Amino acid sequence: MKAAVIGLGVEGKKAVNSLLRHGWEVYATDLNINVDLEGLDLPMLSLNLMDDEQTVSIVGENITLDLGFTNPYAIEQCDAIAISPSMYGGTFASKLLENGELLSDVVDNHKDIFTIGITGTNGKTTTVHMIKSILEQAGKKVLVGGNGGGGFSGYYDLILEADEGDYDVMLVEVCDMTLDFCRYCFDFDMIGLTNIGNDHMDVHKTIANYKDSLVRFFKDKMIFTAFNQDFNTDFKEAASKTIPYFEYQDELKLFGKFNLLNAGLAEAITKELKISKDVIRSTLANFKAVEGRIDVYKINDADVYVGKTDNSDALASVLAENDFYALFIGTPRHNEFHRLDILDVAVKYNPEVIVLFPGLDDTLDIAIYRLNSLGYMGNIITVNSLDEIIALVAEYSHEDAIFIGGNGQDTIIDIQERIKLISEKL
């Protein structure tokens, strides 16, 4: 079988890797000749490279990559097409699909599995893992995955894995930017909404537009929304059934009121699936923070909070819980100016020190300019390495609380691992 992968962003690269791993031949293309290929697991062979400065073609075992152009004939020879989820519904993608089929239509065993989608701005990954743990404790065989940006292997990997295994339940983390794509590709039996926050406004433009996307996504589905969620009336009109959830009331090891709502959503969904209260309670009582998400470590006198908080609502929910002496903030990509508003939130809480480090990109200069324009009067420090971050944590470890977060999931996981090791040794 051969698949065409159109677009080599996060999901596209994950699709290429998954298809090759599952034995497919791949034709991949991106119109950007300078697209970042990091994370693409190309076969370890000598590659045939043809470059006329405008286009590049790379040929390896079971894969051809065209950069700067697309070969329509190569796409026509493929059995399935994997488009970037963000392209779905656009003119180019629609034209491609006039003569070809999406991978989700060619490989469709996943549509026979009971499927739960979890979407929202923050808390998706934690909630997905909570539900997975509860269902597995109840003896269910669970397939989990989805949103490549959330740390999973991507939507196409989930589809391919479902084709090869025997699962009782499939759990899909759905990014708020891929709602229409996921509604088409997956047959959701239940959908949970964690929250609606201020992120990806470069795509949504307004919260009202984001709400409208959710209304389309929820149409004729059973949905779970927080009891106090904005737009619940709109969602109720769209859904076949709406079930409210509340903050979790039993024992939970995780930090933060926001995790009480995540656990409340996990509880509501699994109760609807007739999982016993004892299984739910015991599983959540032992549930630990997912890698890269907020966890708390003791370093000397300080509680050190570490976890990805890449939008203003996520950061505000953490900073509202404590008085932090220092905030370490990972910076966003160059084109993600909307995410700089995490610095607005940081300044609002007026820490003594703000430490900036490259999160997704080295946009330190832009971040410093933003802080200065906001009139921040504290100490601004920039660092470029993990060792520098750890040295500053040690320096501030006799204060009450330190926070490390912002953008850059992989970088924050590296920091978290070092902090955990230090904490365990003390």
Side-chain angles (χ1 to χ4, degrees):
M1 298 285 281
K2 184 174 182 178
V5 177
I6 314 299
L8 291 172
V10 172
E11 285 286 346
K13 288 185 283 191
K14 287 180 179 288
V16 169
N17 294 341
S18 183
L19 285 160
L20 290 173
R21 191 168 61 249
H22 285 86
W24 285 61
E25 187 179 350
V26 175
Y27 170 73
T29 176
D30 196 295
L31 295 179
N32 178 10
I33 191 173
N34 297 312
V35 66
D36 182 6
L37 298 181
E38 184 179 355
L40 198 59
D41 298 332
L42 294 176
M44 297 300 292
L45 294 174
S46 58
L47 301 179
N48 177 25
L49 180 64
M50 296 171 286
D51 186 356
D52 60 6
E53 296 186 356
Q54 299 298 320
T55 61
V56 173
S57 187
I58 305 172
V59 181
E61 184 180 11
N62 292 328
I63 183 168
T64 298
L65 271 72
D66 286 341
L67 304 180
F69 74 106
T70 295
N71 183 343
Y73 177 75
I75 296 175
E76 289 173 7
Q77 304 309 302
C78 292
D79 301 288
I81 298 174
I83 61 170
S84 170
S86 62
M87 294 171 58
Y88 181 79
T91 303
F92 180 63
S94 298
K95 186 174 181 179
L96 281 175
L97 296 176
E98 287 177 0
N99 300 310
E101 291 186 287
L102 268 180
L103 182 67
S104 62
D105 293 319
V106 175
V107 181
D108 60 2
N109 283 357
H110 63 288
K111 295 183 179 180
D112 295 328
I113 304 172
F114 190 93
T115 303
I116 302 169
I118 301 297
T119 194
T121 303
N122 299 307
K124 297 185 295 295
T125 303
T126 295
T127 304
V128 163
H129 281 282
M130 285 176 168
I131 296 170
K132 175 179 182 287
S133 297
I134 293 168
L135 293 177
E136 288 182 337
Q137 190 64 30
K140 306 293 185 183
K141 188 174 181 183
V142 184
L143 176 61
V144 61
N147 172 29
F152 293 109
S153 295
Y155 299 117
Y156 293 113
D157 185 74
L158 195 57
I159 291 167
L160 293 168
E161 289 290 333
D163 194 55
E164 297 181 356
D166 182 20
Y167 297 95
D168 299 308
V169 179
M170 181 166 66
L171 274 167
V172 187
E173 178 182 314
V174 180
C175 175
D176 59 284
M177 295 187 295
T178 63
L179 295 168
D180 292 334
F181 170 84
C182 286
R183 181 175 171 87
Y184 179 84
C185 289
F186 299 97
D187 185 8
F188 293 104
D189 296 279
M190 295 177 170
I191 299 173
L193 174 67
T194 56
N195 47 61
I196 298 175
N198 181 34
D199 196 10
H200 299 137
M201 287 300 123
D202 56 328
V203 175
H204 299 305
K205 307 304 180 186
T206 67
I207 290 292
N209 288 340
Y210 178 18
K211 179 265 294 181
D212 291 341
S213 297
L214 286 167
V215 167
R216 292 195 303 272
F217 186 56
F218 291 157
K219 185 173 175 56
D220 299 327
K221 301 295 182 181
M222 178 189 294
I223 68 169
F224 297 75
T225 65
F227 71 99
N228 59 350
Q229 177 62 62
D230 291 339
F231 311 117
N232 267 343
T233 299
D234 300 84
F235 299 151
K236 187 173 183 178
E237 290 176 358
S240 62
K241 182 177 182 180
T242 303
I243 299 174
Y245 65 88
F246 305 84
E247 288 186 356
Y248 187 65
Q249 297 298 309
D250 289 312
E251 181 184 357
L252 196 66
K253 290 181 178 179
L254 300 187
F255 155 80
K257 292 180 180 179
F258 51 89
N259 273 321
L260 294 177
L261 272 174
N262 293 335
L265 175 54
E267 178 188 37
I269 288 175
T270 51
K271 280 178 67 176
E272 187 68 20
L273 293 174
K274 310 302 181 187
I275 305 301
S276 76
K277 187 173 182 179
D278 288 343
V279 169
I280 296 171
R281 185 188 295 118
S282 65
T283 303
L284 291 177
N286 292 296
F287 186 85
K288 297 180 180 179
V290 177
E291 183 181 55
R293 272 50 183 182
I294 293 290
D295 210 348
V296 186
Y297 308 90
K298 195 73 175 180
I299 306 290
N300 295 324
D301 300 323
D303 290 325
V304 183
Y305 297 68
V306 189
K308 186 186 80 162
T309 43
D310 55 7
N311 62 75
S312 57
D313 287 321
L315 183 59
S317 67
V318 176
L319 300 190
E321 302 261 358
N322 208 334
D323 183 16
F324 293 93
Y325 175 82
L327 305 182
F328 292 64
I329 305 293
T331 56
R333 295 184 179 91
H334 284 88
N335 62 338
E336 292 182 333
F337 294 111
H338 63 287
R339 284 190 166 173
L340 286 170
D341 63 5
I342 61 175
L343 297 175
D344 300 38
V345 173
V347 169
K348 177 183 175 183
Y349 285 87
N350 197 31
E352 293 290 328
V353 182
I354 293 179
V355 180
L356 300 171
F357 63 90
L360 292 169
D361 272 337
D362 184 349
T363 49
L364 298 177
D365 289 346
I366 298 171
I368 292 170
Y369 181 84
R370 179 73 163 236
L371 288 174
N372 288 331
S373 69
L374 291 167
Y376 175 63
M377 301 300 292
N379 190 14
I380 302 173
I381 298 175
T382 61
V383 295
N384 286 283
S385 72
L386 179 55
D387 287 341
E388 289 177 289
I389 291 171
I390 298 303
L392 285 175
V393 169
E395 181 179 337
Y396 303 145
S397 66
H398 295 290
E399 304 295 338
D400 290 335
I402 303 167
F403 172 77
I404 305 172
N407 291 266
Q409 179 170 267
D410 292 341
T411 300
I412 289 170
I413 287 173
D414 290 341
I415 297 168
Q416 196 173 58
E417 289 175 350
R418 281 282 292 274
I419 295 292
K420 183 179 179 181
L421 285 174
I422 294 168
S423 177
E424 289 173 346
K425 291 179 179 178
L426 292 176

